[in-house]
């Protein structure tokens, strides 16, 4: 019983500490690396050729396909670990649950359900549409699109892996509750950062809060026996990876990525090449 409380504390403390460390360490180096530079140049070329709305849509669809390609074999691995890992963990939790803590986890885990998050998405979309005034359509379209984007990608993966669910719940691979929290509250945090031009410290803080919420959602889904352990671990990877592509697409649509100067770079380079002897 005490160990379950300790794991619950870790599910909050680990992302709270790890997220800023990753953002200011590997995340910053990656953003300044060669891959990021080449990606920025490629996206700038697409923006010049296709325009921002079409480029954003293409990036979103492409990234959804990438996520499916990456997470499909992980789902097959998770399926193969059901007897060796998932069943022992499920039975171990069943023997150690307490009524009071179980009630709290049942209350918290509803945060990742579809119905409450649909309301959050609609309210956020309308609220930011008002704040963006003439460009109201950007948050209206982008925030509303976050929900079906996650749903369809997750549904495709669930159908491809087809691993079933615990006998005590209907959750399957990967955990949609975790991914919905990341996508929904991540979209809210993203538009808050874009609207008020928040600095990096605030961006990292908001991202950390979203990850903590998602991490404890994963714990609550296991405690209430709605998901296998491997579903939860997969959801903690699936959600942030999916949101990464969504965030880039939104920044492209909003004109924040790549920088306007970068859009001109391909054209300038082409002109110089044509002028060369």
């Amino acid at each position: 019983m005490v160990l379950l409380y300790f794991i619950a504390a870790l599910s909050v403390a680990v992302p709270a500490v790890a997220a800023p460390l990753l953002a200011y360490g590997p995340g910053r180096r990656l953003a300044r690396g060669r891959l990021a530079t080449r990606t920025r140049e490629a996206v700038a070329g697409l923006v010049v050729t296709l325009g921002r709305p079409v480029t954003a849509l293409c990036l979103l669809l492409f990234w959804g396909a990438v996520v499916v390609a990456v997470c499909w074999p992980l789902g097959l691995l998770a399926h193969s670990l059901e007897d060796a890992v998932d069943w022992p963990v499920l039975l171990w939790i069943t023997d150690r649950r307490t009524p009071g803590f179980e009630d709290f986890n049942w209350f918290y885990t509803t945060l990742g359900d579809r119905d409450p998050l649909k309301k959050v998405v609609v309210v956020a979309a309308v609220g930011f549409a008002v704040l963006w005034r003439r460009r109201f359509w950007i948050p209206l379209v982008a925030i509303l699109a976050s929900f079906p984007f996650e749903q369809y990608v997750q549904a495709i993966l669930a159908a491809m892996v087809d691993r079933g669910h615990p006998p005590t719940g209907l959750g399957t691979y990967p955990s949609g509750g975790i991914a919905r929290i990341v996508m929904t509250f991540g979209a809210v945090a993203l538009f808050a950062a874009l609207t008020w031009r928040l600095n990096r410290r605030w961006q990292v803080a908001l991202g950390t809060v979203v990850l903590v919420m998602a991490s404890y959602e994963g714990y609550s889904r296991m405690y209430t026996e709605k998901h296998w352990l491997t579903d939860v671990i997969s959801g903690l990877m699936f959600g942030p990876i999916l949101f990464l592509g969504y965030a880039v697409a939104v920044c492209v649509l909003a004109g924040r990525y790549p920088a306007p100067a970068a859009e001109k770079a391909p054209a300038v380079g082409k002109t110089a090449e044509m002028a060369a002897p």
Side-chain angles (χ1 to χ4, degrees):
M1 182 177 64
V2 175
L3 186 55
L4 278 176
Y5 293 140
F6 178 70
I7 297 172
L10 282 181
S11 71
V12 173
V14 170
V17 174
L21 291 177
L22 291 172
Y24 287 111
R28 178 173 289 180
R29 290 193 295 271
L30 184 63
R32 296 174 179 175
R34 182 178 299 178
L35 178 61
T37 300
R38 291 183 176 178
T39 301
R40 196 158 43 242
E41 292 172 352
V43 173
L46 287 174
V47 169
V48 171
T49 305
L50 304 175
R52 286 190 176 274
V54 176
T55 299
L57 178 60
C58 290
L59 286 174
L60 199 64
L61 296 176
F62 168 75
W63 194 251
V66 169
V67 171
V68 169
V70 170
C71 292
W72 181 24
L74 294 178
L76 298 178
L77 175 62
H79 195 1
S80 69
L81 294 174
E82 185 173 315
D83 291 336
V85 175
D86 291 321
W87 268 108
V89 170
L90 181 71
L91 296 175
W92 184 83
I93 291 174
T94 301
D95 292 338
R96 289 164 177 79
R97 293 193 303 176
T98 57
F101 198 40
E102 183 176 350
D103 290 341
F104 171 76
N105 280 283
W106 272 108
F107 170 78
Y108 186 89
T109 201
T110 58
L111 182 64
D113 291 346
R114 292 179 178 86
D115 288 341
L117 289 182
K118 286 178 182 177
K119 297 174 184 177
V120 174
V121 166
V122 172
V123 170
V126 173
F128 281 108
V130 172
L131 292 173
W132 281 52
R133 299 179 182 178
R134 293 182 179 179
R135 304 177 74 200
F136 71 93
W137 63 273
I138 294 178
L140 196 63
V141 170
I143 296 178
L144 290 178
S146 66
F147 196 88
F149 177 56
E150 184 280 327
Q151 290 291 284
Y152 281 113
V153 176
Q154 195 265 345
I156 291 170
L157 276 172
M160 293 174 69
V161 175
D162 192 24
R163 71 167 305 192
H165 52 78
T168 50
L170 297 176
T172 187
Y173 173 90
S175 173
I178 296 172
R180 283 190 291 271
I181 285 182
V182 173
M183 289 296 295
T184 301
F185 292 102
V188 173
L190 174 61
F191 272 93
L194 292 174
T195 302
W196 292 292
R197 297 184 179 274
L198 301 180
N199 60 31
R200 184 174 179 82
R201 182 176 298 177
W202 275 104
Q203 294 173 18
V204 172
L206 289 174
T208 301
V209 170
V210 173
L211 287 178
V212 169
M213 293 172 63
S215 179
Y216 195 85
E217 175 69 13
Y219 176 84
S220 69
R221 295 265 159 167
M222 284 194 302
Y223 195 94
T224 56
E225 300 180 340
K226 298 178 72 173
H227 271 294
W228 299 117
L229 170 63
T230 52
D231 291 339
V232 168
I233 294 174
S234 302
L236 288 171
M237 293 187 291
F238 168 69
I241 293 173
L242 191 68
F243 177 75
L244 176 62
Y246 169 82
V248 172
V250 168
C251 289
V252 169
L253 185 63
R256 297 292 296 274
Y257 178 87
E263 297 177 29
K264 300 177 182 179
V268 172
K270 186 175 180 180
T271 303
E273 182 180 350
M274 292 175 63

